[in-house]
């Protein structure tokens, strides 16, 4: 018997710069964090990803990386992070599959 269920391919997403800026305005003083799911092939790419996140001004809370290249991280935003820089550099080391913004965490 053949398995007829197929999994839809994951489509890369972009950094939601405008939405985050709006959240920062709408919820001043609230703690904001970002939950990212990425594909990151190899340790060199993972190291580059960490450098890109740090250069953007994000603080790492959690980082989980699997042998298959799946990466999950939680990042704290102090309101000063440069997300346009992140958007520009991120694709060099990883593919962003999901971005979730959490407010008041």
């Amino acid at each position: 018997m053949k398995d007829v269920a197929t999994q839809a391919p994951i489509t890369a997403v972009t950094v939601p710069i405008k939405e985050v800026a709006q959240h920062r305005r709408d919820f001043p003083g609230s703690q904001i964090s970002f939950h990212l799911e990425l594909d990151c092939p190899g340790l060199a790419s993972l190291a580059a990803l960490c450098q890109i996140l740090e250069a953007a001004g994000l603080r790492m809370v959690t980082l989980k990386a699997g042998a298959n290249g799946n990466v999950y991280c939680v990042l704290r935003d102090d309101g000063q992070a440069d997300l346009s820089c992140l958007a520009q550099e991120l694709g060099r080391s990883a593919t962003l599959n999901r971005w979730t913004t959490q407010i008041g965490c």
Side-chain angles (χ1 to χ4, degrees):
M1 178 180 217
K2 240 184 181 179
D3 183 10
V4 294
T6 58
Q7 184 176 9
I10 295 174
T11 305
V13 298
T14 59
V15 176
I17 298 169
K18 291 179 183 178
E19 291 86 353
V20 170
Q22 185 65 46
H23 293 321
R24 287 173 175 168
R25 286 190 298 273
D26 291 346
F27 302 97
S30 293
Q31 192 170 28
I32 297 176
S33 64
F34 309 123
H35 300 248
L36 281 60
E37 294 178 22
L38 310 106
D39 286 328
C40 194
L43 290 176
S45 294
L46 181 60
L49 171 65
C50 291
Q51 291 174 338
I52 290 167
L53 295 171
E54 184 177 29
L58 295 164
R59 187 170 61 91
M60 183 81 64
V61 175
T62 302
L63 175 67
K64 296 178 184 179
N68 59 359
N70 291 341
V71 174
Y72 172 78
C73 59
V74 177
L75 306 161
R76 247 343 140 210
D77 177 34
D78 64 359
Q80 303 299 314
D82 185 355
L83 299 184
S84 59
C85 173
L86 177 64
Q88 183 177 5
E89 298 294 324
L90 188 60
R92 295 183 183 173
S93 64
T95 301
L96 180 60
N97 297 322
R98 182 173 299 180
W99 177 294
T100 304
T101 301
Q102 183 175 354
I103 301 168
C105 48

